Structures are given as C-alpha cells and as structure tokens.
Amino acid sequence: LLLYPDRIKAICILNGQVMFEDVFTEKFGPLRRLVKDPALGQIWIHTERAVYRYNVKHESRDVWKMYMSMDKFDLAKEFCKDRPDCMDMVLAKEAEYCFQNKKYKESAKCYALTQNYFEEIALKFIEVKQDDALIEFLLKKLLNLKQSEKIQATLLTTWLTELYLNLLGTLESNASKKKLYLKTRDEFRAFLTTQKNKDCMINNRASIYELLASHGDTEHMVYFAVLMQDYERVVSHHCQHDDYEEALQVLSKHKDETLFYKFSPVLMQHIPKSVVDAWIAMGKSLVPKKLIPALVNYSQSAGTQINEAIRYMEFCVEELQETEQ
C-alpha cells in the first residue's frame, strides 16, 4: 500500500500493477498516516479531522492469474487448490505451453486432468505423430475414470493396446532401439497386469486377441492368455509350435484335469516319459480311465511310448490300487 496526500494505492508486488486506488477530497485535509492492525488485518488511515478503515478480504484471489500469465504454473496451482474452475484453466494453459514447447509427455499429463474435449486433445497428439504422449494421455484418462464408466474404460484399454502393439512393432524392427523396445514392452505388460485393466479386458478379451493376432505378436498373445487364465489357448499354442515341454509345464503348473485329458494324447506321442511323470505327480486327481486315449495312441514302433504306458498302468495298480478293468 502506498499513501499519498490525496489517495492510497494498492500495488501488486508480483507485477507492479495498480490493483486498487481510492481518491480522497480535501474536505478533511490531507492523509497523514497509514497503519495496519496485526490482529484483525484491518488498514487504518487518518487525516487531521477523520479516520478511515479498510477491511482486506481475499487479497490473494487473483494471484493465480498473475502467476499463470508469467508461466509459473506450479505457483499458480498453489493459489487455486480449492477452486476447480481456476485449476482447470491453469492446467489447460500449462498443457498448451508444454505442447508448444514440444514437451509432449508433460503436456499430455496436464491435458488429462482438464475438462477439455477428449477427442480434441487426442487429435492434437495424433497430428504431430506423438504416440508416446498419446499413450500417456490415454493412461491418465483411464486412471481417472469412475468405476461406473465401463464403456469408456473398454474403449481406452482397446485403443491403448493397439497403440502399444504399433509402437512395439516399430521398435522391434530397429536393432538400435533394443533398450527402448524392452522398456516399452515392460510398460505394456504392466498396463496389462493392472487389476483394473484386467477386469475391464475380461469381457473384451476377444477384441484383444484379435489385435494381438493381427500384429502377429504371439509372445504377448500367450502372455495375455495367461493373465486371462485361458490356459487351453496357451497349451494349444505351445503344441502348435512343437514346444511340448512348455505345454506340459503349463498343464503341470495349473493342474487342470480337463486339459490333461485333452492334450495328453498329443503330448504322449512326443514326450512320453515327461507326460507319465506328470500323470504320476497328479496322483488321484486324474482318472486313469480318461487317459486311455493317450495310452493307446502310439505307433507300433513307438517302444518308449509303450514302456511309459506300462509304467503308468503299473503305478495305477500298485499305488492307486486301481482294480477296474
């Protein structure tokens, strides 16, 4: 506050602008002194024949605007924490500032917290071909969705999966970007394993499988199938690629009797000893009678298969006390 003989002025110390001015007439003489009540925060001014009192209220209400105009966004946000509309304006300005300065990821984080139109912001990042920033924006939007917004969550998770697969495909073909590929792969897997995203994908798994298949990404198709507990798909994939030991490991780990009955005939033809070891480890969980198709599914020259079949039948008689013919 500045005191003059005929007026007072309130000057903003942030930008030097006059925020308030009050002019006095000469009726009561020139202004003499200005003091502040430290307890109540009131301002007192007097002349020789009069006393004036000023009550200062909401002195900092527009400070956020000043800091925002100076591109000091962190300080601006400090002064509008309890004012959502003002906070939204600051975030939007900060997002645009970062975007113009090509700080796209920082821009995406800010835009995701604003009330700006979703499509408009997404298009901005698409136009400048900033998939990393677009992914960041969509991830933040997904995180901020309410539990009831299931359709939006499904759309976002599907779109994010497509973006990640595109990015991984581009990076994988460039040997010089191996580290970035591995980093992005880990981020994608973290995205898939987040419980909220898994819950969303359960009812949309068919679309995710189609995306993975269209990109030829068998590695992540298996990874996703395990997350969805689609073990039949996982075992089938390993068998189709002649990876029978891996298929048997999946069966042994998850101990699904139905899958044992379904895939044992194929596995018995290729890794009979390992299969019988797995059957024995399952003990009474398996019904020997249901394994007959696997026991008799061998060629006349398949001596190992015959010997292993006999070994399992001996186990059934001696250990499981099976007497059924």
Side-chain angles (χ1 to χ4, degrees):
L1 280 175
L2 298 179
L3 182 68
Y4 297 89
D6 63 341
R7 70 192 62 200
I8 62 167
K9 289 183 179 181
I11 309 296
C12 177
I13 60 174
L14 296 177
N15 56 18
Q17 293 182 0
V18 176
M19 307 303 296
F20 172 78
E21 183 175 9
D22 200 4
V23 180
F24 294 80
T25 64
E26 298 179 354
K27 181 178 179 181
F28 298 108
L31 301 177
R32 294 295 187 185
R33 192 180 178 194
L34 179 152
V35 293
K36 181 178 181 179
D37 184 338
L40 300 177
Q42 296 173 336
I43 305 296
W44 294 87
I45 299 172
H46 72 86
T47 68
E48 292 180 351
R49 298 190 296 273
V51 176
Y52 304 94
R53 182 184 65 185
Y54 289 86
N55 290 315
V56 180
K57 294 182 179 179
H58 307 300
E59 185 178 6
S60 61
R61 65 182 179 275
D62 291 329
V63 170
W64 66 273
K65 286 184 182 179
M66 299 174 195
Y67 279 127
M68 184 176 72
S69 66
M70 298 162 65
D71 297 334
K72 295 182 178 181
F73 302 110
D74 288 339
L75 290 171
K77 285 182 277 191
E78 285 293 321
F79 283 91
C80 58
K81 285 182 177 179
D82 301 324
R83 301 165 70 183
D85 292 344
C86 300
M87 179 67 80
D88 192 69
M89 292 174 65
V90 174
L91 287 168
K93 179 73 182 299
E94 182 179 9
E96 185 60 28
Y97 174 84
C98 291
F99 190 91
Q100 294 300 328
N101 286 276
K102 298 184 178 181
K103 297 178 180 179
Y104 296 114
K105 276 200 171 184
E106 291 85 346
S107 175
K109 292 176 183 178
C110 292
Y111 269 132
L113 298 174
T114 69
Q115 300 301 314
N116 291 44
Y117 288 114
F118 172 85
E119 298 84 354
E120 177 186 328
I121 303 307
L123 187 60
K124 285 173 71 75
F125 292 116
I126 292 172
E127 287 176 344
V128 293
K129 298 180 180 179
Q130 290 295 321
D131 285 349
D132 284 346
L134 180 57
I135 288 173
E136 186 70 36
F137 173 67
L138 297 178
L139 285 172
K140 291 291 183 184
K141 276 293 184 184
L142 180 61
L143 185 64
N144 293 328
L145 286 180
K146 298 176 182 177
Q147 192 70 28
S148 59
E149 297 176 305
K150 294 182 179 180
I151 295 177
Q152 294 92 323
T154 299
L155 291 172
L156 287 179
T157 51
T158 305
W159 191 2
L160 280 162
T161 300
E162 173 74 10
L163 288 170
Y164 270 121
L165 291 173
N166 285 336
L167 189 56
L168 287 170
T170 302
L171 294 174
E172 189 176 20
S173 61
N174 191 334
S176 64
K177 295 186 177 180
K178 182 67 178 294
K179 287 186 178 180
L180 183 56
Y181 167 78
L182 294 174
K183 179 176 179 292
T184 306
R185 185 195 66 180
D186 291 343
E187 289 176 359
F188 179 45
R189 291 184 176 183
F191 162 74
L192 292 175
T193 54
T194 301
Q195 189 60 49
K196 182 179 178 181
N197 297 339
K198 280 175 61 179
D199 293 341
C200 178
M201 291 177 181
I202 285 176
N203 296 323
N204 190 43
R205 67 178 72 183
S207 297
I208 303 299
Y209 280 129
E210 287 178 8
L211 282 176
L212 291 164
S214 68
H215 284 267
D217 194 336
T218 55
E219 179 185 356
H220 282 106
M221 186 171 70
V222 172
Y223 185 85
F224 180 69
V226 172
L227 287 177
M228 295 292 104
Q229 298 183 1
D230 290 341
Y231 301 121
E232 181 175 351
R233 184 185 291 267
V234 177
V235 175
S236 178
H237 169 80
H238 288 313
C239 289
Q240 289 171 8
H241 290 79
D242 300 333
D243 195 352
Y244 302 108
E245 289 288 354
E246 190 66 31
L248 184 59
Q249 282 187 24
V250 175
L251 290 175
S252 300
K253 180 178 180 180
H254 299 288
K255 304 182 185 302
D256 188 318
E257 297 88 348
T258 303
L259 295 183
F260 261 105
Y261 301 141
K262 180 173 182 176
F263 290 100
S264 284
V266 175
L267 297 176
M268 191 66 177
Q269 293 181 29
H270 300 279
I271 50 172
K273 184 180 184 307
S274 298
V275 172
V276 171
D277 287 342
W279 289 350
I280 292 174
M282 288 288 288
K284 292 186 177 182
S285 297
L286 295 177
V287 178
K289 185 167 63 175
K290 293 185 178 181
L291 293 172
I292 290 176
L295 290 168
V296 300
N297 187 22
Y298 53 80
S299 62
Q300 292 182 350
S301 60
T304 302
Q305 294 177 33
I306 296 172
N307 292 336
E308 291 303 324
I310 293 172
R311 181 163 72 95
Y312 182 67
M313 287 187 286
E314 289 175 345
F315 168 78
C316 291
V317 173
E318 296 173 4
E319 300 295 332
L320 301 183
Q321 303 296 313
E322 283 287 338
T323 58
E324 187 174 354
Q325 297 294 321

